[in-house]
Short mmCIF file of all heavy atoms in Angstrom, two decimals:
data_model
loop_
_atom_site.label_atom_id
_atom_site.label_comp_id
_atom_site.label_asym_id
_atom_site.label_seq_id
_atom_site.Cartn_x
_atom_site.Cartn_y
_atom_site.Cartn_z
N VAL A 194 132.99 104.56 118.60
CA VAL A 194 131.96 105.54 118.92
C VAL A 194 131.50 105.37 120.39
O VAL A 194 131.64 104.28 120.92
CB VAL A 194 130.74 105.46 117.99
CG1 VAL A 194 131.06 105.82 116.55
CG2 VAL A 194 130.15 104.00 118.05
N TYR A 195 130.99 106.46 120.97
CA TYR A 195 130.49 106.36 122.36
C TYR A 195 129.28 107.26 122.51
O TYR A 195 128.98 108.14 121.72
CB TYR A 195 131.63 106.82 123.37
CG TYR A 195 131.99 108.32 123.28
CD1 TYR A 195 131.34 109.20 124.15
CD2 TYR A 195 132.91 108.78 122.39
CE1 TYR A 195 131.66 110.57 124.12
CE2 TYR A 195 133.21 110.13 122.34
CZ TYR A 195 132.55 111.00 123.18
OH TYR A 195 132.88 112.35 123.13
N THR A 196 128.58 107.11 123.65
CA THR A 196 127.47 107.91 123.98
C THR A 196 127.38 108.04 125.52
O THR A 196 127.65 107.07 126.25
CB THR A 196 126.12 107.33 123.42
OG1 THR A 196 125.01 108.20 123.79
CG2 THR A 196 125.88 105.90 123.96
N CYS A 197 127.09 109.23 126.01
CA CYS A 197 127.21 109.57 127.44
C CYS A 197 125.85 109.50 128.15
O CYS A 197 124.81 109.53 127.61
CB CYS A 197 127.73 111.00 127.64
SG CYS A 197 129.42 111.26 127.04
N ASP A 198 125.97 109.37 129.51
CA ASP A 198 124.90 109.51 130.51
C ASP A 198 124.05 108.26 130.57
O ASP A 198 123.96 107.42 129.63
CB ASP A 198 124.08 110.72 130.20
CG ASP A 198 124.88 112.01 130.29
OD1 ASP A 198 125.89 112.06 131.11
OD2 ASP A 198 124.63 112.95 129.49
N ARG A 199 123.39 108.18 131.72
CA ARG A 199 122.60 107.04 132.11
C ARG A 199 121.45 106.82 131.08
O ARG A 199 120.78 107.70 130.66
CB ARG A 199 122.02 107.23 133.49
CG ARG A 199 121.18 106.02 133.94
CD ARG A 199 120.70 106.29 135.38
NE ARG A 199 119.89 105.18 135.90
CZ ARG A 199 119.36 105.16 137.13
NH1 ARG A 199 119.55 106.22 137.94
NH2 ARG A 199 118.65 104.12 137.49
N GLY A 200 121.25 105.54 130.71
CA GLY A 200 120.25 105.12 129.80
C GLY A 200 120.61 105.16 128.31
O GLY A 200 119.90 104.67 127.48
N SER A 201 121.72 105.87 127.99
CA SER A 201 122.18 105.94 126.60
C SER A 201 122.87 104.62 126.28
O SER A 201 123.40 103.91 127.14
CB SER A 201 123.17 107.06 126.47
OG SER A 201 122.50 108.31 126.70
N GLY A 202 122.96 104.30 124.98
CA GLY A 202 123.59 103.08 124.57
C GLY A 202 123.34 102.71 123.12
O GLY A 202 122.97 103.60 122.29
N PHE A 203 123.64 101.49 122.79
CA PHE A 203 123.58 100.94 121.43
C PHE A 203 122.71 99.69 121.41
O PHE A 203 122.78 98.90 122.35
CB PHE A 203 124.98 100.59 120.90
CG PHE A 203 125.96 101.75 121.01
CD1 PHE A 203 126.79 101.84 122.19
CD2 PHE A 203 126.07 102.72 120.04
CE1 PHE A 203 127.68 102.88 122.31
CE2 PHE A 203 126.95 103.78 120.23
CZ PHE A 203 127.78 103.86 121.38
N THR A 204 122.02 99.48 120.27
CA THR A 204 121.24 98.32 120.10
C THR A 204 121.56 97.67 118.75
O THR A 204 121.57 98.34 117.73
CB THR A 204 119.75 98.60 120.10
OG1 THR A 204 119.38 99.21 121.34
CG2 THR A 204 118.89 97.35 119.91
N LEU A 205 121.94 96.40 118.76
CA LEU A 205 122.26 95.60 117.60
C LEU A 205 121.39 94.38 117.52
O LEU A 205 120.92 93.86 118.51
CB LEU A 205 123.75 95.16 117.60
CG LEU A 205 124.82 96.20 117.89
CD1 LEU A 205 126.20 95.57 117.92
CD2 LEU A 205 124.81 97.34 116.85
N THR A 206 121.19 93.85 116.27
CA THR A 206 120.58 92.54 116.07
C THR A 206 121.39 91.76 115.15
O THR A 206 122.13 92.25 114.28
CB THR A 206 119.14 92.75 115.44
OG1 THR A 206 119.23 93.37 114.21
CG2 THR A 206 118.19 93.46 116.45
N VAL A 207 121.31 90.41 115.37
CA VAL A 207 122.03 89.47 114.50
C VAL A 207 120.93 88.42 114.01
O VAL A 207 120.28 87.77 114.88
CB VAL A 207 123.16 88.77 115.23
CG1 VAL A 207 123.89 87.82 114.27
CG2 VAL A 207 124.16 89.82 115.73
N ALA A 208 120.85 88.28 112.74
CA ALA A 208 119.86 87.33 112.23
C ALA A 208 120.36 85.87 112.39
O ALA A 208 121.49 85.55 112.11
CB ALA A 208 119.61 87.55 110.74
N ALA A 209 119.46 84.99 112.84
CA ALA A 209 119.77 83.57 113.01
C ALA A 209 119.52 82.80 111.71
O ALA A 209 118.69 83.23 110.94
CB ALA A 209 119.02 82.96 114.19
N ASP A 210 120.19 81.67 111.59
CA ASP A 210 119.93 80.83 110.39
C ASP A 210 119.81 79.33 110.80
O ASP A 210 119.82 78.49 109.93
CB ASP A 210 121.13 80.97 109.45
CG ASP A 210 122.48 80.55 110.08
OD1 ASP A 210 122.52 80.12 111.26
OD2 ASP A 210 123.52 80.68 109.37
N GLY A 211 119.50 79.11 112.08
CA GLY A 211 119.32 77.70 112.49
C GLY A 211 120.58 77.01 112.85
O GLY A 211 120.54 75.86 113.39
N GLN A 212 121.79 77.57 112.59
CA GLN A 212 123.05 76.97 112.91
C GLN A 212 123.62 77.57 114.20
O GLN A 212 123.26 78.68 114.63
CB GLN A 212 124.05 77.20 111.74
CG GLN A 212 123.57 76.70 110.48
CD GLN A 212 123.36 75.13 110.43
OE1 GLN A 212 124.21 74.41 110.97
NE2 GLN A 212 122.29 74.71 109.78
N GLN A 213 124.58 76.85 114.80
CA GLN A 213 125.27 77.37 116.00
C GLN A 213 126.23 78.47 115.50
O GLN A 213 127.04 78.29 114.61
CB GLN A 213 126.09 76.28 116.64
CG GLN A 213 126.78 76.69 117.89
CD GLN A 213 125.85 76.90 119.06
OE1 GLN A 213 124.87 76.14 119.23
NE2 GLN A 213 126.11 77.83 119.94
N ARG A 214 126.07 79.64 115.99
CA ARG A 214 126.84 80.85 115.58
C ARG A 214 127.55 81.46 116.81
O ARG A 214 127.09 81.32 117.95
CB ARG A 214 125.98 81.82 114.87
CG ARG A 214 125.38 81.39 113.58
CD ARG A 214 126.42 81.09 112.54
NE ARG A 214 125.87 80.64 111.27
CZ ARG A 214 126.62 80.19 110.25
NH1 ARG A 214 127.94 80.12 110.39
NH2 ARG A 214 126.00 79.83 109.15
N THR A 215 128.64 82.25 116.52
CA THR A 215 129.33 82.94 117.55
C THR A 215 129.47 84.38 117.11
O THR A 215 129.92 84.70 116.03
CB THR A 215 130.72 82.31 117.77
OG1 THR A 215 130.60 80.97 118.18
CG2 THR A 215 131.53 83.09 118.84
N VAL A 216 129.14 85.26 118.06
CA VAL A 216 129.29 86.73 117.84
C VAL A 216 130.34 87.22 118.82
O VAL A 216 130.29 86.91 120.02
CB VAL A 216 127.89 87.46 118.07
CG1 VAL A 216 128.11 88.95 117.93
CG2 VAL A 216 126.85 86.93 117.12
N HIS A 217 131.23 88.08 118.27
CA HIS A 217 132.20 88.78 119.10
C HIS A 217 131.75 90.24 119.11
O HIS A 217 131.77 90.87 118.05
CB HIS A 217 133.65 88.59 118.62
CG HIS A 217 134.19 87.22 118.84
ND1 HIS A 217 134.84 86.87 120.02
CD2 HIS A 217 134.16 86.12 118.02
CE1 HIS A 217 135.24 85.61 119.94
NE2 HIS A 217 134.84 85.14 118.72
N LEU A 218 131.43 90.74 120.30
CA LEU A 218 131.08 92.13 120.47
C LEU A 218 132.24 92.83 121.19
O LEU A 218 132.51 92.55 122.33
CB LEU A 218 129.80 92.32 121.21
CG LEU A 218 129.34 93.77 121.45
CD1 LEU A 218 128.97 94.47 120.18
CD2 LEU A 218 128.17 93.82 122.48
#
Side-chain angles (χ1 to χ4, degrees):
V194 292
Y195 70 92
T196 181
C197 296
D198 300 326
R199 181 178 180 180
S201 298
F203 307 94
T204 300
L205 309 178
T206 59
V207 181
D210 59 4
Q212 304 297 318
Q213 183 75 33
R214 295 297 182 187
T215 300
V216 177
H217 288 272
L218 177 66

